[in-house]
Amino acid sequence: MKTKNIFILYAEVMPYNVVSFETLVDSNENFNLHVVCWGSDKKLTKYKQPNHPKIKYYDKSKLSYIDIFSIYKNTNPQLLLISGRMEKDYLKLALVARRDKKIVVGTSDNQYTGSLKQKVATLFSSYLYKRYFEYMLVPGLFQYEYQRRLGYKKESILFPQYCANIKLFEQAFLNKSDLKKNGILFLGRLHQIKGIELLIKVHKELFENKTITDKLIIIGDGPLKNELNLNAEHVKYHSFMEQGDILTIMSNVKYFCLPSRSEPWGVVIHEAAAAGLPIVTTSHCGAATAFVKQGYNGYLFLPDNKNQLKHILLKMNGKTEDEIKIMGRRSYELSKQIHPEMWSETLLNLMS
């Protein structure tokens, strides 16, 4: 059977991207992927994608437009998947691919906020978006709204853009011990946008007056690392952990908390749901629309709202072990609505 190629022009490739890529080629032996992605000059993390015989990765920092064009001509892909308007070279090639009658899919995790910039984009969407991308791949409801405002038809907006590695993270749920669960988990970049300072402040108050006894377990790195008091008694900090160690922690904590001020999606919420954790996060996190149902498997609060966060932490502290288990099982069930096979089939369906 003749080999078919998909050309992916991406920003930073993360583990949740890789599991989708590998799912596609592992379940369809006649497909290969060619992925141009950011190198160390732009990456925010130290993650390096693993080798795979049917996926070839190219470091964009080492490629000119002519190099990218050469890969395109040599591989003759049926479909191009492009990470939005982030790179001029990608957009330039998108125009070539559209003229060549290729299927060109853009991605966007931007939520519609009604900003002046977005309103201008809706007026000039034919020039800014639709001439490059025939379809748009988005993660959820908030992004769907924006694409509709940009003029994309319902059938031209595809799901899902992001998928957690379900098979990996569900091990934390399926292999949970009967030991008493302790700790509140934060997993993410130590950046102001994540609201980590507020979480530490509120947790410290409750821990020091012995209102709650669960420590705050923080896993992550970032620009705030040296500004936060991560050696405090109420905090247990890990700068970097292998995924196996993260799974061990997820198996034994009470719940997950992500207090982001802004979060276009937040795959870590999907990962926590797959691990069977109750979830506390803000209403501005896109993934909450899919994986957090108020009072059912977690709680939502407004970003930077100290009183709401304190109230929820106290409410979670008052839950019995059985109540925590019930909420965790609900999270696990909700996590199943998006999985890597859906990402794979969405693209393959366009080429059938």
Side-chain angles (χ1 to χ4, degrees):
M1 188 176 292
K2 185 178 179 181
T3 298
K4 299 178 181 179
N5 292 309
I6 294 176
F7 197 14
I8 298 178
L9 302 171
Y10 216 74
E12 182 171 7
V13 168
M14 299 297 287
Y16 51 81
N17 301 124
V18 170
V19 71
S20 294
F21 297 167
E22 293 184 351
T23 297
L24 190 153
V25 296
D26 288 344
S27 58
N28 298 274
E29 61 181 17
N30 58 320
F31 275 92
N32 288 333
L33 297 186
H34 295 265
V35 184
V36 175
C37 54
W38 285 354
S40 57
D41 59 324
K42 286 190 174 182
K43 289 176 64 174
L44 298 174
T45 69
K46 299 177 182 178
Y47 176 73
K48 188 180 186 313
Q49 58 272 6
N51 293 326
H52 190 286
K54 299 184 69 183
I55 304 174
K56 186 170 183 179
Y57 292 98
Y58 306 81
D59 185 339
K60 188 186 182 302
S61 67
K62 300 176 181 178
L63 302 175
S64 66
Y65 171 73
I66 297 300
D67 295 325
I68 296 173
F69 178 77
S70 295
I71 298 169
Y72 166 75
K73 295 300 288 185
N74 291 334
T75 58
N76 190 27
Q78 286 187 282
L79 181 147
L80 286 80
L81 179 66
I82 301 176
S83 54
R85 294 179 45 80
M86 301 181 74
E87 296 285 346
K88 290 182 180 179
D89 286 348
Y90 293 175
L91 295 178
K92 191 174 179 180
L93 189 64
L95 291 177
V96 173
R98 291 297 299 273
R99 287 196 293 269
D100 290 344
K101 306 300 182 184
K102 305 292 186 182
I103 301 166
V104 183
V105 182
T107 67
S108 176
D109 62 7
N110 292 327
Q111 298 182 14
Y112 184 72
T113 62
S115 68
L116 178 60
K117 182 179 179 181
Q118 288 186 336
K119 288 179 179 178
V120 171
T122 61
L123 293 175
F124 298 97
S125 62
S126 293
Y127 176 80
L128 294 173
Y129 290 93
K130 297 177 75 177
R131 69 178 179 139
Y132 298 113
F133 313 120
E134 182 180 1
Y135 299 93
M136 291 299 292
L137 183 67
V138 301
L141 293 176
F142 291 164
Q143 292 78 16
Y144 175 84
E145 178 188 4
Y146 188 24
Q147 296 309 311
R148 287 290 285 150
R149 289 174 181 269
L150 288 173
Y152 280 95
K153 296 179 180 179
K154 294 177 181 178
E155 57 270 25
S156 297
I157 306 172
L158 312 174
F159 299 92
Q161 181 181 352
Y162 301 127
C163 309
N165 189 339
I166 298 290
K167 291 182 180 178
L168 175 67
F169 284 93
E170 71 177 4
Q171 293 177 37
F173 173 76
L174 298 175
N175 300 330
K176 275 188 175 180
S177 68
D178 291 328
L179 297 176
K180 182 178 175 62
K181 306 298 183 288
N182 293 288
I184 304 162
L185 176 63
F186 170 92
L187 175 59
R189 291 188 69 232
L190 303 183
H191 190 285
Q192 187 179 20
I193 202 71
K194 301 293 184 179
I196 181 63
E197 319 102 289
L198 177 66
L199 177 58
I200 290 175
K201 182 179 180 180
V202 172
H203 180 269
K204 180 181 179 182
E205 290 180 10
L206 297 176
F207 189 86
E208 288 184 344
N209 65 25
K210 302 189 186 308
T211 309
I212 63 176
T213 57
D214 287 290
K215 285 195 172 186
L216 179 59
I217 301 171
I218 298 175
I219 304 175
D221 206 340
L224 293 181
K225 180 177 179 178
N226 296 325
E227 299 178 24
L228 302 170
N229 186 8
L230 299 174
N231 294 318
E233 183 185 358
H234 69 110
V235 173
K236 189 171 184 180
Y237 174 65
H238 305 274
S239 178
F240 173 80
M241 298 187 75
E242 297 291 343
Q243 287 193 317
D245 296 325
I246 291 175
L247 291 173
T248 299
I249 288 179
M250 284 185 163
S251 297
N252 294 290
V253 297
K254 272 188 179 179
Y255 61 95
F256 175 76
C257 183
L258 183 68
S260 296
R261 293 183 169 94
S262 176
E263 193 79 51
W265 185 245
V267 177
V268 68
I269 292 175
H270 191 186
E271 292 168 347
L277 294 178
I279 298 167
V280 173
T281 190
T282 67
S283 55
H284 287 203
C285 291
T289 59
F291 306 116
V292 186
K293 306 304 177 185
Q294 187 78 306
Y296 180 72
N297 72 310
Y299 294 98
L300 302 173
F301 65 99
L302 293 173
D304 284 320
N305 193 311
K306 178 181 177 181
N307 290 333
Q308 285 187 1
L309 177 57
K310 181 182 289 187
H311 176 72
I312 290 171
L313 294 186
L314 289 172
K315 182 175 285 191
M316 290 299 296
N317 186 69
K319 299 285 184 184
T320 66
E321 287 187 51
D322 285 342
E323 288 173 328
I324 292 292
K325 286 181 180 179
I326 290 171
M327 293 179 76
R329 174 168 287 280
R330 290 168 175 170
S331 287
Y332 172 72
E333 292 168 351
L334 287 171
S335 75
K336 296 298 185 180
Q337 60 190 309
I338 297 177
H339 49 81
E341 288 79 8
M342 290 174 62
W343 184 91
S344 173
E345 292 300 327
T346 293
L347 296 187
L348 292 171
N349 184 61
L350 295 176
M351 295 179 284
S352 62

